Amino acid sequence: MKLGSPFRPRLLSALLISIFLGSAPATPAQERGELRIATSYKLMTLDPQYANLNENTSLLSHIYERLVYQDENLELKPGLATSWRPLSDTQWAFKLRDKVRFHDGSAFDADDVVYTIERIRDFLKPPSGGFRSYVSGIKSVSAPDPLTVLIETDAAVPNLPLFFSSIFVMNRPSEGYETTEDLNAGHPPNGTGPYRFESWSSGESLRLARNDDYWGGKPAWSKVTFRVIENPAARVAALSTGEVDVADAIPARDVASLKERGARVASVGAARVNFVQFDVARDTLPGVTDKSGEPIANPFKNPLVRRALTLATDRGILVDKILAGYGTAAAQVFPNGLPGTSAKLLPEAPNYDEAKRLLAKAGFPDGFNLVLAGPAGRYPGDAESLQAVAQSWARIGVNAQPAAAPFSVFNTKRAAGDYGVWYGGTSGEAVDIILHTLLASPDPERGTGALNFGRYRNEAFDAMLARAESIAVGPERNAALAQATELVMADQPIIPLYHFHHIVGYGSRIGSYVLHPRGWTTAMQTLPAME
């Protein structure tokens, strides 16, 4: 079992790095027709600012672009902004790229950035908070000239450029704000990216055409079609038969057979965490009962119960058996070695005797029953992980009934409070982003806790995180984030399970596929084979 192995970013050539800044320019020998990609990502909306989910980030990055890009080492690089600098603790200036045009031919300028920020901050109100937390601290934004944006924040925001590495820039309409409903109903998405929108069938496909006027160079593929195939076995089959050129989220168990059939595989450690999350707020929970099936008081309010279940979780089975080694056991939100992680937090081997002792001390000597919910086909080994965790917990008398559902169903039910404990996953630009979203106390005004569906609250942690976020990017900030992580992980509001590896398979038409630790699946990462 890989316990706490350090994250080692791969060094890529300048050519490959350029892919992520937009699209690798195509040479005549490289240029190809349609690229066919089977993806697990089900695009939920054509509004690039509505839902902060990887499926939207990944697929809409063909159409829209960000001011700042985060490279494969999670370092910030110029995107639509060529440079940025703080003018004071609460003021920033961003210089924009010249001669960039939207797909409708209109020029990109600072006014579009002002519109983007104001639309997210003042207009959109998605159920999960969307991207609002990234801009909620912005007091004002202005455009002194077409290629300069000035931003004033309510307080110091030392990592403001990092926030903009997640926000897609939209074109300002002639009046008002575009609504999510209008975008989903047929208003053509209008971005500056390497591919233009052609069509979208929700839950089925997304079709794109090359933007020949792209500022970053002519893209390699004239057409791109994403087929949504949520079932992992079906994605593997589509790649094996040549129906698609690329398939993402390949199960580790299928890697060997794919290679035998001539496909190639790329993998990289993910800047993300998969975990079990508890509802610690409600007095009683759906699916949580005593052994006779009668409802009981919420056991997860007791930190001894959360600690017992942590000690009864065998991460080794998850990493070695289910992920076939394509993963790392987790004890915090990012793999050890990335900025902001703690070297003190290492995954523990299961200790069932101590877990039973803690459970008895908490008043549950015979254990209890629960429904353990989670998505099926969303993450590598997700349904199998539910089964493995349930089997581990049974050893201390906690009988967990796994309940896997398609992600769209699971996500809706989780947000509605239909679950008491569930398996999930999240990624982010940096450690503090995940801590801010997943574990900070829910606060719509501050934009914290958008993914804290368990409604966990810890004032001491909130204060430590706020202090860390007030420090400029660097060693001091990283140390403060590590200390905040140590504090909150000791309380076990979640059980970090593993950092899986992204695995992508590709066929003979593809020369190489460059993976990013954020787990994006794009045509820009896909280089054609040379003839």
Side-chain angles (χ1 to χ4, degrees), residues 429-465:
E429 304 86 342
V431 162
D432 53 303
I433 299 296
I434 295 185
L435 295 177
H436 189 94
T437 305
L438 183 65
L439 296 175
S441 299
D443 186 338
E445 292 303 316
R446 293 181 56 231
T448 57
L451 297 181
N452 184 352
F453 295 107
R455 290 176 287 180
Y456 171 76
R457 294 182 179 275
N458 184 327
E459 292 183 2
F461 167 68
D462 290 340
M464 290 184 72
L465 179 59

PDB file of all heavy atoms in Angstrom, residues 429-465:
ATOM      1  N   GLU A 429      -7.813  24.004  -6.825  1.00  0.00           N
ATOM      2  CA  GLU A 429      -6.571  24.607  -7.296  1.00  0.00           C
ATOM      3  C   GLU A 429      -5.450  24.494  -6.271  1.00  0.00           C
ATOM      4  O   GLU A 429      -4.272  24.448  -6.629  1.00  0.00           O
ATOM      5  CB  GLU A 429      -6.797  26.089  -7.621  1.00  0.00           C
ATOM      6  CG  GLU A 429      -7.902  26.342  -8.632  1.00  0.00           C
ATOM      7  CD  GLU A 429      -9.276  26.432  -7.994  1.00  0.00           C
ATOM      8  OE1 GLU A 429      -9.456  25.969  -6.852  1.00  0.00           O
ATOM      9  OE2 GLU A 429     -10.178  26.964  -8.642  1.00  0.00           O
ATOM     10  N   ALA A 430      -5.810  24.463  -4.992  1.00  0.00           N
ATOM     11  CA  ALA A 430      -4.813  24.454  -3.926  1.00  0.00           C
ATOM     12  C   ALA A 430      -5.461  23.905  -2.662  1.00  0.00           C
ATOM     13  O   ALA A 430      -6.688  23.779  -2.575  1.00  0.00           O
ATOM     14  CB  ALA A 430      -4.271  25.869  -3.674  1.00  0.00           C
ATOM     15  N   VAL A 431      -4.627  23.588  -1.675  1.00  0.00           N
ATOM     16  CA  VAL A 431      -5.117  23.039  -0.410  1.00  0.00           C
ATOM     17  C   VAL A 431      -6.156  23.955   0.222  1.00  0.00           C
ATOM     18  O   VAL A 431      -7.210  23.499   0.689  1.00  0.00           O
ATOM     19  CB  VAL A 431      -3.940  22.802   0.554  1.00  0.00           C
ATOM     20  CG1 VAL A 431      -4.425  22.653   1.986  1.00  0.00           C
ATOM     21  CG2 VAL A 431      -3.158  21.555   0.145  1.00  0.00           C
ATOM     22  N   ASP A 432      -5.879  25.258   0.248  1.00  0.00           N
ATOM     23  CA  ASP A 432      -6.805  26.162   0.931  1.00  0.00           C
ATOM     24  C   ASP A 432      -8.152  26.239   0.225  1.00  0.00           C
ATOM     25  O   ASP A 432      -9.184  26.457   0.869  1.00  0.00           O
ATOM     26  CB  ASP A 432      -6.197  27.558   1.090  1.00  0.00           C
ATOM     27  CG  ASP A 432      -5.692  28.142  -0.208  1.00  0.00           C
ATOM     28  OD1 ASP A 432      -4.844  27.506  -0.851  1.00  0.00           O
ATOM     29  OD2 ASP A 432      -6.131  29.240  -0.587  1.00  0.00           O
ATOM     30  N   ILE A 433      -8.168  26.029  -1.087  1.00  0.00           N
ATOM     31  CA  ILE A 433      -9.445  26.054  -1.808  1.00  0.00           C
ATOM     32  C   ILE A 433     -10.329  24.909  -1.332  1.00  0.00           C
ATOM     33  O   ILE A 433     -11.528  25.083  -1.077  1.00  0.00           O
ATOM     34  CB  ILE A 433      -9.212  25.955  -3.322  1.00  0.00           C
ATOM     35  CG1 ILE A 433      -8.375  27.137  -3.819  1.00  0.00           C
ATOM     36  CG2 ILE A 433     -10.544  25.886  -4.058  1.00  0.00           C
ATOM     37  CD1 ILE A 433      -9.025  28.476  -3.665  1.00  0.00           C
ATOM     38  N   ILE A 434      -9.752  23.717  -1.199  1.00  0.00           N
ATOM     39  CA  ILE A 434     -10.539  22.571  -0.745  1.00  0.00           C
ATOM     40  C   ILE A 434     -10.953  22.742   0.711  1.00  0.00           C
ATOM     41  O   ILE A 434     -12.098  22.468   1.085  1.00  0.00           O
ATOM     42  CB  ILE A 434      -9.768  21.257  -0.948  1.00  0.00           C
ATOM     43  CG1 ILE A 434      -9.554  21.004  -2.443  1.00  0.00           C
ATOM     44  CG2 ILE A 434     -10.521  20.085  -0.327  1.00  0.00           C
ATOM     45  CD1 ILE A 434      -8.911  19.681  -2.763  1.00  0.00           C
ATOM     46  N   LEU A 435     -10.035  23.172   1.565  1.00  0.00           N
ATOM     47  CA  LEU A 435     -10.384  23.403   2.964  1.00  0.00           C
ATOM     48  C   LEU A 435     -11.512  24.429   3.069  1.00  0.00           C
ATOM     49  O   LEU A 435     -12.459  24.263   3.852  1.00  0.00           O
ATOM     50  CB  LEU A 435      -9.161  23.900   3.729  1.00  0.00           C
ATOM     51  CG  LEU A 435      -7.986  22.923   3.867  1.00  0.00           C
ATOM     52  CD1 LEU A 435      -6.819  23.599   4.581  1.00  0.00           C
ATOM     53  CD2 LEU A 435      -8.396  21.654   4.605  1.00  0.00           C
ATOM     54  N   HIS A 436     -11.412  25.483   2.291  1.00  0.00           N
ATOM     55  CA  HIS A 436     -12.389  26.570   2.287  1.00  0.00           C
ATOM     56  C   HIS A 436     -13.769  26.070   1.860  1.00  0.00           C
ATOM     57  O   HIS A 436     -14.793  26.478   2.400  1.00  0.00           O
ATOM     58  CB  HIS A 436     -11.882  27.638   1.299  1.00  0.00           C
ATOM     59  CG  HIS A 436     -12.646  28.926   1.309  1.00  0.00           C
ATOM     60  ND1 HIS A 436     -12.277  30.010   2.071  1.00  0.00           N
ATOM     61  CD2 HIS A 436     -13.750  29.316   0.623  1.00  0.00           C
ATOM     62  CE1 HIS A 436     -13.117  31.007   1.861  1.00  0.00           C
ATOM     63  NE2 HIS A 436     -14.019  30.615   0.985  1.00  0.00           N
ATOM     64  N   THR A 437     -13.783  25.150   0.900  1.00  0.00           N
ATOM     65  CA  THR A 437     -15.041  24.699   0.305  1.00  0.00           C
ATOM     66  C   THR A 437     -15.632  23.501   1.027  1.00  0.00           C
ATOM     67  O   THR A 437     -16.855  23.420   1.227  1.00  0.00           O
ATOM     68  CB  THR A 437     -14.819  24.339  -1.176  1.00  0.00           C
ATOM     69  OG1 THR A 437     -14.240  25.468  -1.845  1.00  0.00           O
ATOM     70  CG2 THR A 437     -16.123  23.957  -1.850  1.00  0.00           C
ATOM     71  N   LEU A 438     -14.782  22.560   1.422  1.00  0.00           N
ATOM     72  CA  LEU A 438     -15.243  21.280   1.951  1.00  0.00           C
ATOM     73  C   LEU A 438     -15.412  21.261   3.461  1.00  0.00           C
ATOM     74  O   LEU A 438     -16.329  20.616   3.980  1.00  0.00           O
ATOM     75  CB  LEU A 438     -14.254  20.186   1.535  1.00  0.00           C
ATOM     76  CG  LEU A 438     -14.583  18.750   1.938  1.00  0.00           C
ATOM     77  CD1 LEU A 438     -15.848  18.280   1.235  1.00  0.00           C
ATOM     78  CD2 LEU A 438     -13.414  17.826   1.605  1.00  0.00           C
ATOM     79  N   LEU A 439     -14.548  21.981   4.204  1.00  0.00           N
ATOM     80  CA  LEU A 439     -14.510  21.826   5.660  1.00  0.00           C
ATOM     81  C   LEU A 439     -14.795  23.097   6.446  1.00  0.00           C
ATOM     82  O   LEU A 439     -15.103  23.028   7.635  1.00  0.00           O
ATOM     83  CB  LEU A 439     -13.152  21.258   6.075  1.00  0.00           C
ATOM     84  CG  LEU A 439     -12.855  19.850   5.543  1.00  0.00           C
ATOM     85  CD1 LEU A 439     -11.436  19.429   5.900  1.00  0.00           C
ATOM     86  CD2 LEU A 439     -13.861  18.854   6.090  1.00  0.00           C
ATOM     87  N   ALA A 440     -14.681  24.262   5.817  1.00  0.00           N
ATOM     88  CA  ALA A 440     -15.003  25.503   6.531  1.00  0.00           C
ATOM     89  C   ALA A 440     -16.498  25.580   6.802  1.00  0.00           C
ATOM     90  O   ALA A 440     -17.317  25.026   6.062  1.00  0.00           O
ATOM     91  CB  ALA A 440     -14.546  26.704   5.722  1.00  0.00           C
ATOM     92  N   SER A 441     -16.866  26.269   7.863  1.00  0.00           N
ATOM     93  CA  SER A 441     -18.278  26.391   8.226  1.00  0.00           C
ATOM     94  C   SER A 441     -19.074  27.026   7.088  1.00  0.00           C
ATOM     95  O   SER A 441     -18.634  28.011   6.502  1.00  0.00           O
ATOM     96  CB  SER A 441     -18.432  27.255   9.478  1.00  0.00           C
ATOM     97  OG  SER A 441     -17.763  26.663  10.572  1.00  0.00           O
ATOM     98  N   PRO A 442     -20.247  26.459   6.753  1.00  0.00           N
ATOM     99  CA  PRO A 442     -21.050  27.027   5.673  1.00  0.00           C
ATOM    100  C   PRO A 442     -21.441  28.469   5.963  1.00  0.00           C
ATOM    101  O   PRO A 442     -22.003  28.760   7.021  1.00  0.00           O
ATOM    102  CB  PRO A 442     -22.283  26.115   5.627  1.00  0.00           C
ATOM    103  CG  PRO A 442     -21.830  24.828   6.240  1.00  0.00           C
ATOM    104  CD  PRO A 442     -20.841  25.219   7.294  1.00  0.00           C
ATOM    105  N   ASP A 443     -21.128  29.347   5.025  1.00  0.00           N
ATOM    106  CA  ASP A 443     -21.431  30.763   5.188  1.00  0.00           C
ATOM    107  C   ASP A 443     -21.615  31.361   3.793  1.00  0.00           C
ATOM    108  O   ASP A 443     -20.629  31.681   3.125  1.00  0.00           O
ATOM    109  CB  ASP A 443     -20.314  31.483   5.932  1.00  0.00           C
ATOM    110  CG  ASP A 443     -20.654  32.935   6.258  1.00  0.00           C
ATOM    111  OD1 ASP A 443     -21.522  33.508   5.579  1.00  0.00           O
ATOM    112  OD2 ASP A 443     -20.036  33.500   7.182  1.00  0.00           O
ATOM    113  N   PRO A 444     -22.854  31.521   3.328  1.00  0.00           N
ATOM    114  CA  PRO A 444     -23.087  32.033   1.977  1.00  0.00           C
ATOM    115  C   PRO A 444     -22.472  33.403   1.738  1.00  0.00           C
ATOM    116  O   PRO A 444     -22.030  33.705   0.629  1.00  0.00           O
ATOM    117  CB  PRO A 444     -24.624  32.088   1.877  1.00  0.00           C
ATOM    118  CG  PRO A 444     -25.097  31.084   2.874  1.00  0.00           C
ATOM    119  CD  PRO A 444     -24.104  31.133   3.999  1.00  0.00           C
ATOM    120  N   GLU A 445     -22.436  34.239   2.767  1.00  0.00           N
ATOM    121  CA  GLU A 445     -21.879  35.580   2.585  1.00  0.00           C
ATOM    122  C   GLU A 445     -20.377  35.526   2.326  1.00  0.00           C
ATOM    123  O   GLU A 445     -19.858  36.257   1.490  1.00  0.00           O
ATOM    124  CB  GLU A 445     -22.183  36.441   3.817  1.00  0.00           C
ATOM    125  CG  GLU A 445     -23.653  36.769   3.992  1.00  0.00           C
ATOM    126  CD  GLU A 445     -24.237  37.490   2.770  1.00  0.00           C
ATOM    127  OE1 GLU A 445     -23.570  38.402   2.254  1.00  0.00           O
ATOM    128  OE2 GLU A 445     -25.335  37.111   2.339  1.00  0.00           O
ATOM    129  N   ARG A 446     -19.674  34.669   3.050  1.00  0.00           N
ATOM    130  CA  ARG A 446     -18.231  34.531   2.856  1.00  0.00           C
ATOM    131  C   ARG A 446     -17.903  33.561   1.722  1.00  0.00           C
ATOM    132  O   ARG A 446     -16.772  33.499   1.258  1.00  0.00           O
ATOM    133  CB  ARG A 446     -17.558  34.043   4.143  1.00  0.00           C
ATOM    134  CG  ARG A 446     -17.582  35.027   5.298  1.00  0.00           C
ATOM    135  CD  ARG A 446     -16.864  34.464   6.510  1.00  0.00           C
ATOM    136  NE  ARG A 446     -15.503  34.096   6.180  1.00  0.00           N
ATOM    137  CZ  ARG A 446     -14.956  32.908   6.445  1.00  0.00           C
ATOM    138  NH1 ARG A 446     -15.686  31.965   7.020  1.00  0.00           N
ATOM    139  NH2 ARG A 446     -13.717  32.644   6.125  1.00  0.00           N
ATOM    140  N   GLY A 447     -18.906  32.802   1.304  1.00  0.00           N
ATOM    141  CA  GLY A 447     -18.675  31.836   0.239  1.00  0.00           C
ATOM    142  C   GLY A 447     -17.980  30.577   0.694  1.00  0.00           C
ATOM    143  O   GLY A 447     -17.454  29.822  -0.128  1.00  0.00           O
ATOM    144  N   THR A 448     -17.972  30.297   1.994  1.00  0.00           N
ATOM    145  CA  THR A 448     -17.300  29.104   2.506  1.00  0.00           C
ATOM    146  C   THR A 448     -18.290  27.941   2.629  1.00  0.00           C
ATOM    147  O   THR A 448     -19.488  28.136   2.750  1.00  0.00           O
ATOM    148  CB  THR A 448     -16.675  29.373   3.883  1.00  0.00           C
ATOM    149  OG1 THR A 448     -17.705  29.818   4.782  1.00  0.00           O
ATOM    150  CG2 THR A 448     -15.597  30.439   3.797  1.00  0.00           C
ATOM    151  N   GLY A 449     -17.729  26.732   2.604  1.00  0.00           N
ATOM    152  CA  GLY A 449     -18.525  25.549   2.878  1.00  0.00           C
ATOM    153  C   GLY A 449     -19.499  25.144   1.792  1.00  0.00           C
ATOM    154  O   GLY A 449     -20.485  24.450   2.069  1.00  0.00           O
ATOM    155  N   ALA A 450     -19.223  25.500   0.538  1.00  0.00           N
ATOM    156  CA  ALA A 450     -20.153  25.156  -0.544  1.00  0.00           C
ATOM    157  C   ALA A 450     -20.306  23.650  -0.697  1.00  0.00           C
ATOM    158  O   ALA A 450     -21.369  23.169  -1.109  1.00  0.00           O
ATOM    159  CB  ALA A 450     -19.680  25.775  -1.854  1.00  0.00           C
ATOM    160  N   LEU A 451     -19.270  22.877  -0.370  1.00  0.00           N
ATOM    161  CA  LEU A 451     -19.337  21.417  -0.448  1.00  0.00           C
ATOM    162  C   LEU A 451     -19.372  20.771   0.940  1.00  0.00           C
ATOM    163  O   LEU A 451     -19.217  19.562   1.057  1.00  0.00           O
ATOM    164  CB  LEU A 451     -18.148  20.872  -1.246  1.00  0.00           C
ATOM    165  CG  LEU A 451     -18.074  21.291  -2.710  1.00  0.00           C
ATOM    166  CD1 LEU A 451     -16.862  20.652  -3.381  1.00  0.00           C
ATOM    167  CD2 LEU A 451     -19.347  20.928  -3.461  1.00  0.00           C
ATOM    168  N   ASN A 452     -19.589  21.579   1.953  1.00  0.00           N
ATOM    169  CA  ASN A 452     -19.687  21.067   3.315  1.00  0.00           C
ATOM    170  C   ASN A 452     -21.128  20.619   3.556  1.00  0.00           C
ATOM    171  O   ASN A 452     -21.873  21.214   4.328  1.00  0.00           O
ATOM    172  CB  ASN A 452     -19.270  22.151   4.316  1.00  0.00           C
ATOM    173  CG  ASN A 452     -19.242  21.661   5.750  1.00  0.00           C
ATOM    174  OD1 ASN A 452     -19.666  20.544   6.057  1.00  0.00           O
ATOM    175  ND2 ASN A 452     -18.749  22.494   6.649  1.00  0.00           N
ATOM    176  N   PHE A 453     -21.508  19.544   2.859  1.00  0.00           N
ATOM    177  CA  PHE A 453     -22.881  19.053   2.961  1.00  0.00           C
ATOM    178  C   PHE A 453     -23.173  18.446   4.329  1.00  0.00           C
ATOM    179  O   PHE A 453     -24.327  18.280   4.708  1.00  0.00           O
ATOM    180  CB  PHE A 453     -23.149  18.011   1.869  1.00  0.00           C
ATOM    181  CG  PHE A 453     -23.089  18.565   0.476  1.00  0.00           C
ATOM    182  CD1 PHE A 453     -22.023  18.278  -0.353  1.00  0.00           C
ATOM    183  CD2 PHE A 453     -24.092  19.381   0.003  1.00  0.00           C
ATOM    184  CE1 PHE A 453     -21.961  18.786  -1.642  1.00  0.00           C
ATOM    185  CE2 PHE A 453     -24.047  19.903  -1.286  1.00  0.00           C
ATOM    186  CZ  PHE A 453     -22.968  19.600  -2.112  1.00  0.00           C
ATOM    187  N   GLY A 454     -22.124  18.107   5.083  1.00  0.00           N
ATOM    188  CA  GLY A 454     -22.315  17.597   6.433  1.00  0.00           C
ATOM    189  C   GLY A 454     -22.535  18.669   7.463  1.00  0.00           C
ATOM    190  O   GLY A 454     -22.777  18.380   8.635  1.00  0.00           O
ATOM    191  N   ARG A 455     -22.423  19.947   7.028  1.00  0.00           N
ATOM    192  CA  ARG A 455     -22.644  21.123   7.892  1.00  0.00           C
ATOM    193  C   ARG A 455     -21.790  21.077   9.156  1.00  0.00           C
ATOM    194  O   ARG A 455     -22.232  21.401  10.265  1.00  0.00           O
ATOM    195  CB  ARG A 455     -24.137  21.256   8.211  1.00  0.00           C
ATOM    196  CG  ARG A 455     -24.957  21.682   7.000  1.00  0.00           C
ATOM    197  CD  ARG A 455     -26.427  21.716   7.278  1.00  0.00           C
ATOM    198  NE  ARG A 455     -26.992  20.366   7.382  1.00  0.00           N
ATOM    199  CZ  ARG A 455     -28.263  20.104   7.630  1.00  0.00           C
ATOM    200  NH1 ARG A 455     -29.111  21.094   7.817  1.00  0.00           N
ATOM    201  NH2 ARG A 455     -28.701  18.860   7.702  1.00  0.00           N
ATOM    202  N   TYR A 456     -20.557  20.690   8.950  1.00  0.00           N
ATOM    203  CA  TYR A 456     -19.575  20.677  10.042  1.00  0.00           C
ATOM    204  C   TYR A 456     -19.152  22.104  10.362  1.00  0.00           C
ATOM    205  O   TYR A 456     -18.955  22.925   9.453  1.00  0.00           O
ATOM    206  CB  TYR A 456     -18.368  19.848   9.599  1.00  0.00           C
ATOM    207  CG  TYR A 456     -17.179  19.919  10.528  1.00  0.00           C
ATOM    208  CD1 TYR A 456     -17.166  19.236  11.730  1.00  0.00           C
ATOM    209  CD2 TYR A 456     -16.054  20.661  10.171  1.00  0.00           C
ATOM    210  CE1 TYR A 456     -16.069  19.291  12.574  1.00  0.00           C
ATOM    211  CE2 TYR A 456     -14.941  20.715  10.999  1.00  0.00           C
ATOM    212  CZ  TYR A 456     -14.952  20.032  12.202  1.00  0.00           C
ATOM    213  OH  TYR A 456     -13.849  20.089  13.034  1.00  0.00           O
ATOM    214  N   ARG A 457     -18.992  22.410  11.635  1.00  0.00           N
ATOM    215  CA  ARG A 457     -18.562  23.740  12.071  1.00  0.00           C
ATOM    216  C   ARG A 457     -17.472  23.605  13.133  1.00  0.00           C
ATOM    217  O   ARG A 457     -17.614  22.821  14.071  1.00  0.00           O
ATOM    218  CB  ARG A 457     -19.734  24.556  12.630  1.00  0.00           C
ATOM    219  CG  ARG A 457     -20.786  24.889  11.583  1.00  0.00           C
ATOM    220  CD  ARG A 457     -21.914  25.742  12.130  1.00  0.00           C
ATOM    221  NE  ARG A 457     -22.892  26.059  11.102  1.00  0.00           N
ATOM    222  CZ  ARG A 457     -22.791  27.079  10.256  1.00  0.00           C
ATOM    223  NH1 ARG A 457     -21.753  27.912  10.355  1.00  0.00           N
ATOM    224  NH2 ARG A 457     -23.718  27.297   9.336  1.00  0.00           N
ATOM    225  N   ASN A 458     -16.410  24.365  12.947  1.00  0.00           N
ATOM    226  CA  ASN A 458     -15.297  24.366  13.888  1.00  0.00           C
ATOM    227  C   ASN A 458     -14.696  25.768  13.869  1.00  0.00           C
ATOM    228  O   ASN A 458     -13.955  26.133  12.955  1.00  0.00           O
ATOM    229  CB  ASN A 458     -14.259  23.317  13.471  1.00  0.00           C
ATOM    230  CG  ASN A 458     -13.117  23.184  14.460  1.00  0.00           C
ATOM    231  OD1 ASN A 458     -12.701  24.141  15.096  1.00  0.00           O
ATOM    232  ND2 ASN A 458     -12.591  21.973  14.569  1.00  0.00           N
ATOM    233  N   GLU A 459     -15.045  26.576  14.873  1.00  0.00           N
ATOM    234  CA  GLU A 459     -14.630  27.977  14.885  1.00  0.00           C
ATOM    235  C   GLU A 459     -13.112  28.116  14.945  1.00  0.00           C
ATOM    236  O   GLU A 459     -12.542  29.033  14.332  1.00  0.00           O
ATOM    237  CB  GLU A 459     -15.278  28.702  16.060  1.00  0.00           C
ATOM    238  CG  GLU A 459     -16.789  28.860  15.919  1.00  0.00           C
ATOM    239  CD  GLU A 459     -17.397  29.641  17.067  1.00  0.00           C
ATOM    240  OE1 GLU A 459     -16.621  30.087  17.962  1.00  0.00           O
ATOM    241  OE2 GLU A 459     -18.630  29.809  17.078  1.00  0.00           O
ATOM    242  N   ALA A 460     -12.440  27.245  15.691  1.00  0.00           N
ATOM    243  CA  ALA A 460     -10.987  27.324  15.777  1.00  0.00           C
ATOM    244  C   ALA A 460     -10.344  27.073  14.413  1.00  0.00           C
ATOM    245  O   ALA A 460      -9.401  27.773  14.015  1.00  0.00           O
ATOM    246  CB  ALA A 460     -10.463  26.318  16.799  1.00  0.00           C
ATOM    247  N   PHE A 461     -10.871  26.083  13.698  1.00  0.00           N
ATOM    248  CA  PHE A 461     -10.356  25.814  12.356  1.00  0.00           C
ATOM    249  C   PHE A 461     -10.643  26.977  11.417  1.00  0.00           C
ATOM    250  O   PHE A 461      -9.778  27.393  10.628  1.00  0.00           O
ATOM    251  CB  PHE A 461     -10.970  24.530  11.806  1.00  0.00           C
ATOM    252  CG  PHE A 461     -10.758  24.334  10.338  1.00  0.00           C
ATOM    253  CD1 PHE A 461      -9.487  24.081   9.829  1.00  0.00           C
ATOM    254  CD2 PHE A 461     -11.823  24.431   9.445  1.00  0.00           C
ATOM    255  CE1 PHE A 461      -9.277  23.923   8.468  1.00  0.00           C
ATOM    256  CE2 PHE A 461     -11.626  24.262   8.089  1.00  0.00           C
ATOM    257  CZ  PHE A 461     -10.348  24.010   7.601  1.00  0.00           C
ATOM    258  N   ASP A 462     -11.861  27.512  11.468  1.00  0.00           N
ATOM    259  CA  ASP A 462     -12.207  28.649  10.619  1.00  0.00           C
ATOM    260  C   ASP A 462     -11.230  29.799  10.825  1.00  0.00           C
ATOM    261  O   ASP A 462     -10.788  30.442   9.859  1.00  0.00           O
ATOM    262  CB  ASP A 462     -13.629  29.130  10.920  1.00  0.00           C
ATOM    263  CG  ASP A 462     -14.688  28.145  10.464  1.00  0.00           C
ATOM    264  OD1 ASP A 462     -14.396  27.287   9.608  1.00  0.00           O
ATOM    265  OD2 ASP A 462     -15.831  28.244  10.969  1.00  0.00           O
ATOM    266  N   ALA A 463     -10.888  30.064  12.088  1.00  0.00           N
ATOM    267  CA  ALA A 463      -9.965  31.168  12.390  1.00  0.00           C
ATOM    268  C   ALA A 463      -8.568  30.867  11.857  1.00  0.00           C
ATOM    269  O   ALA A 463      -7.897  31.759  11.295  1.00  0.00           O
ATOM    270  CB  ALA A 463      -9.926  31.412  13.895  1.00  0.00           C
ATOM    271  N   MET A 464      -8.102  29.633  12.018  1.00  0.00           N
ATOM    272  CA  MET A 464      -6.770  29.274  11.524  1.00  0.00           C
ATOM    273  C   MET A 464      -6.714  29.336  10.001  1.00  0.00           C
ATOM    274  O   MET A 464      -5.721  29.790   9.419  1.00  0.00           O
ATOM    275  CB  MET A 464      -6.382  27.882  12.012  1.00  0.00           C
ATOM    276  CG  MET A 464      -6.113  27.797  13.498  1.00  0.00           C
ATOM    277  SD  MET A 464      -5.548  26.153  14.010  1.00  0.00           S
ATOM    278  CE  MET A 464      -3.882  26.140  13.334  1.00  0.00           C
ATOM    279  N   LEU A 465      -7.790  28.895   9.352  1.00  0.00           N
ATOM    280  CA  LEU A 465      -7.821  28.943   7.891  1.00  0.00           C
ATOM    281  C   LEU A 465      -7.844  30.389   7.410  1.00  0.00           C
ATOM    282  O   LEU A 465      -7.137  30.741   6.450  1.00  0.00           O
ATOM    283  CB  LEU A 465      -9.050  28.191   7.375  1.00  0.00           C
ATOM    284  CG  LEU A 465      -9.246  28.174   5.859  1.00  0.00           C
ATOM    285  CD1 LEU A 465      -8.043  27.540   5.166  1.00  0.00           C
ATOM    286  CD2 LEU A 465     -10.524  27.436   5.488  1.00  0.00           C
TER     287      LEU A 465
END
